[in-house]
């Protein structure tokens, strides 16, 4: 897990191979330029072995890739958080979440790094408000419920991480804010988390956040009956400029499952489109949330 799960290794390798082919180099020529054996280049390109941030930067230098956005994205895919800080030669960098590496499981660290580099996130939630839209009080209540008698300092740190993640919605140039489209089952809005006061604050926060131009909220009312989303929540991350890097993430109690096959991506993208068509449009969704918030719905 140090350099990311298999899905990210393969996607990284495929993009590095594409960049090499754009230069007209063979894998042997690329290996000669960077001073490696050809087998190392091949293993990285097939995803059969992980690549360190310094390795990726070295290949990108050889391929004359200077685009900082692309270099940052590929650095995130290989796990640039393992790089030495301030290493200008490799172009590697650490994300803010590196400071929490001893607190957070590797699957969560990996999820955050994907989220930080994504340009778009499509998410279905059936039980809780998405982390990017939670208030501190709601996040605290969810954290306490998810862990067995956690110490106060651990809860504080986890809530701090949850709040820090939300910065992606407010990014400024040169990075555009993350485009978030969230479909919420009505159970998310009805299930009391923490206390009535916590829920009131959370519902109010949803309405405020939905005013952001990069945030879309859709509610699936109980009255809409069964839908394909009853099988569970999921997130689809999309990345700038490289459509083939899309990843579906399924969360479980003790781990996360990453789906990368084209047929899986098509299936989940199609499911999300169906769910969005089945749900209320944004304006009606916000009216629905407001009605629950004020007790009229």
């Amino acid at each position: 897990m140090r350099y990311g799960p298999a899905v990210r290794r393969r996607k990284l390798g495929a993009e590095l191979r594409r960049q090499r082919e754009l230069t007209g180099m063979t894998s042997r020529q690329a290996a000669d330029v960077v001073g490696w054996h050809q087998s190392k280049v091949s293993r990285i390109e097939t995803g059969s072995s992980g690549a360190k941030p310094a390795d990726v930067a070295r290949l990108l230098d050889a391929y004359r890739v200077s685009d900082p956005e692309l270099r940052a994205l590929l650095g995130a895919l290989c796990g640039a958080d393992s790089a030495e800080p301030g290493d200008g030669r490799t172009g590697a960098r650490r994300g803010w979440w590196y400071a929490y590496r001893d607190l957070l499981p590797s699957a969560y660290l990996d999820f955050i790094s994907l989220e930080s580099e994504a340009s778009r996130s499509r998410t279905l939630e059936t039980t809780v408000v998405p982390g990017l839209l939670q208030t501190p009080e709601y996040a605290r209540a969810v954290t306490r419920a998810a862990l067995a008698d956690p110490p106060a300092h651990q809860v504080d740190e986890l809530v701090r991480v949850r709040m820090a993640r939300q910065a992606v919605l407010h990014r400024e140039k040169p990075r555009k804010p993350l485009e978030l489209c969230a479909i919420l089952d009505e159970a998310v809005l009805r299930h009391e988390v923490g206390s009535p006061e916590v829920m009131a604050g959370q519902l109010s926060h949803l309405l405020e956040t939905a005013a952001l131009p990069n945030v879309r909220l859709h509610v699936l009312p109980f009255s809409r009956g069964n839908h394909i989303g009853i099988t569970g929540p999921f997130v689809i991350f999309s990345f700038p400029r490289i459509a083939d890097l899309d990843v579906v993430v399924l969360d479980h109690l003790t781990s996360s499952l990453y789906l990368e096959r084209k047929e899986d991506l098509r299936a989940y993208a199609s499911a999300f489109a169906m769910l969005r068509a089945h749900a209320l449009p944004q304006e009606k969704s916000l009216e629905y949330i407001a009605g629950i918030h004020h007790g009229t719905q």
Side-chain angles (χ1 to χ4, degrees):
M1 289 295 293
R2 183 180 179 190
Y3 301 120
V7 55
R8 298 175 69 188
R9 290 201 307 270
R10 286 193 290 270
K11 289 181 180 295
L12 171 65
E15 182 57 24
L16 288 173
R17 181 174 63 251
R18 190 178 78 87
Q19 292 297 327
R20 173 178 60 75
E21 291 172 345
L22 287 174
T23 70
M25 288 187 191
T26 65
S27 60
R28 180 177 295 279
Q29 289 171 329
D32 289 341
V33 170
V34 297
W36 298 342
H37 194 281
Q38 181 185 6
S39 62
K40 180 172 181 177
V41 175
S42 297
R43 289 196 305 271
I44 290 175
E45 288 186 352
T46 59
S48 60
S49 70
K52 297 179 180 180
D55 294 338
V56 172
R58 201 166 173 180
L59 289 172
L60 294 178
D61 288 342
Y63 305 153
R64 300 183 183 277
V65 177
S66 58
D67 185 331
E69 186 178 46
L70 180 57
R71 292 181 72 101
L73 174 58
L74 297 182
L77 283 176
C78 74
D81 305 322
S82 61
E84 289 302 317
D87 188 347
R89 181 181 61 82
T90 65
R93 60 185 176 83
R94 283 175 170 171
W96 59 264
W97 52 91
Y98 182 81
Y100 297 93
R101 64 193 181 281
D102 295 329
L103 171 70
L104 305 178
S106 58
Y108 192 20
L109 288 169
D110 199 61
F111 181 91
I112 295 173
S113 68
L114 282 172
E115 184 178 73
S116 71
E117 294 298 336
S119 58
R120 181 166 61 135
S121 175
R122 288 165 283 174
T123 181
L124 166 71
E125 279 293 352
T126 56
T127 54
V128 297
V129 171
L132 292 179
L133 301 175
Q134 293 179 7
T135 64
E137 296 78 16
Y138 186 96
R140 187 175 299 278
V142 169
T143 300
R144 284 175 173 161
L147 301 177
D149 194 26
H153 70 87
Q154 182 182 15
V155 174
D156 290 342
E157 291 291 281
L158 290 172
V159 171
R160 191 172 294 116
V161 169
R162 182 77 41 104
M163 296 303 104
R165 283 175 48 201
Q166 298 178 5
V168 296
L169 297 177
H170 308 279
R171 287 189 301 225
E172 298 179 352
K173 292 182 178 180
R175 296 290 309 280
K176 293 182 179 179
L178 177 74
E179 294 180 14
L180 174 64
C181 184
I183 298 176
L184 309 180
D185 189 278
E186 185 173 346
V188 172
L189 309 173
R190 298 284 187 186
H191 183 70
E192 184 177 298
V193 173
S195 68
E197 292 74 24
V198 169
M199 283 306 300
Q202 179 60 70
L203 294 176
S204 178
H205 182 67
L206 286 176
L207 296 172
E208 293 172 4
T209 309
L212 294 173
N214 54 306
V215 175
R216 305 287 297 179
L217 290 184
H218 298 277
V219 174
L220 270 170
F222 292 145
S223 60
R224 293 293 168 103
N226 289 335
H227 52 77
I228 196 169
I230 60 176
T231 55
F234 61 86
V235 179
I236 307 174
F237 285 127
S238 298
F239 298 87
R241 302 176 46 188
I242 309 175
D244 286 346
L245 292 181
D246 282 12
V247 177
V248 175
V249 185
L250 307 179
D251 263 342
H252 302 285
L253 183 61
T254 58
S255 64
S256 295
L257 175 65
Y258 294 78
L259 304 180
E260 62 164 329
R261 296 188 311 166
K262 290 184 177 180
E263 51 266 43
D264 290 329
L265 294 173
R266 283 196 298 267
Y268 276 89
S270 175
F272 191 86
M274 291 172 59
L275 287 165
R276 187 171 179 178
H278 196 56
L280 298 175
Q282 164 119 334
E283 184 177 350
K284 293 293 184 183
S285 293
L286 298 185
E287 292 176 0
Y288 206 87
I289 294 172
I292 294 176
H293 179 35
H294 298 298
T296 59
Q297 187 65 53

